[in-house]
Amino acid sequence: MESILKGKTVVVTGAGRGIGQAIASLCAQKGANIAVPFVGPYPTEAIEEFRGYGVKAEAYECDVADFAVTKTVCDKILEDFGTVDSLVNNAGITADKLILSMGESDFDKVIAVNLKGAFNMIKHLTRNFMRNGGAIVNISSVVGLMGNAGQANYSASKAGLIGLTKTVARELASRNVTCNAVAPGFIDTAMTAALTPAQQDAIKKQIPLGYIGKPDDVARAVVFFLENRYVSGEVIKVDGGMYI
Ligand code: NDP
């Protein structure tokens, strides 16, 4: 069966690697054109991979935390692609410390990228979505639901994303716009590769399924939301049963 994503345009922030790349790749395999706001080096390999599925794929240098820059980039994406049908707010960072040693800038920068970044992208694409309908997915985290020592900034940003998701779902439903969140547990990417083997073993003990998830596990949940037009304001955990 052909996916409703075929021929549509999906914006995935931070899709140059990790979970974002897996999400954009699955969308491209289903025939969606892909736009990628990125901050680091130009994501050549990821863009070539997406184009390999026969779709249009472009990357745009864009710090999602910057309100003015995101406006310019969203306008440019709309000009280049004609419209945007779906937005996946995936870009995220960590700056883990216990509250006692967490500085103001550690807190501010994580909130700015993870939470305000999602607001910025939604804000600048909302007029387009109100005209044409659309699907928004925010990548939260199970720690936004359960908290985690050493991640006051990160867990607050991810909990904030769930509030943002539910509000956007309510505000834009009458315009045929859905907004949902995916809350991954531990997923095998650069973000978790920094953990020592001992830390990874300790984490696996908290996961009933007994292993760390893959970016594709998250991508499949995101695509469920992008393809299903009758689900909104929902949060799916993709965590191996870690938070039941
Ligand atoms: P990575 O660190 O592998 O990738 C993060 C991506 O975000 C990169 O592509 C990075 O771009 C991009 N990014 C970071 N800051 C900005 C910014 N200011 N503007 C635009 N893009 C930015 O992380 P993951 O793939 O592991 O995580 C993806 C999402 O999933 C994040 O929101 C994360 O919080 C969430 N998540 C991850 C979990 C995990 O276990 N891995 C668990 C729960 C949630 P660049 O490559 O250019 O640096």
Side-chain angles (χ1 to χ4, degrees), residues 14 17 19 39-40 62-64 90 139-140 154 158 185 187 189 192:
R17 59 190 166 100
I19 291 171
V39 273
C62 174
D63 177 357
V64 295
N90 162 80
I139 306 301
S140 177
Y154 184 79
K158 295 299 186 179
I187 307 295
T189 69
T192 41

Side-chain angles (χ1 to χ4, degrees), residues 13-21 37-41 43 62-66 89-94 113-114 139-143 154 158 161 182-192 212 215 218:
T13 63
R17 59 190 166 100
I19 291 171
Q21 183 172 358
F38 72 98
V39 273
C62 174
D63 177 357
V64 295
D66 188 316
N89 284 309
N90 162 80
I93 58 169
T94 53
V113 174
N114 297 7
I139 306 301
S140 177
S141 165
V142 281
V143 306
Y154 184 79
K158 295 299 186 179
L161 275 178
V182 175
F186 280 94
I187 307 295
D188 185 13
T189 69
M191 199 175 262
T192 41
I212 290 176
V218 180

Side-chain angles (χ1 to χ4, degrees), residues 63-106:
D63 177 357
V64 295
D66 188 316
F67 188 81
V69 168
T70 48
K71 166 92 174 94
T72 306
V73 168
C74 287
D75 287 349
K76 178 77 176 113
I77 292 171
L78 287 168
E79 187 187 317
D80 290 352
F81 287 80
T83 189
V84 169
D85 302 287
S86 304
L87 165 67
V88 182
N89 284 309
N90 162 80
I93 58 169
T94 53
D96 298 353
K97 279 176 193 158
L98 295 171
I99 287 272
L100 268 180
S101 47
M102 185 175 288
E104 184 182 6
S105 69
D106 297 318

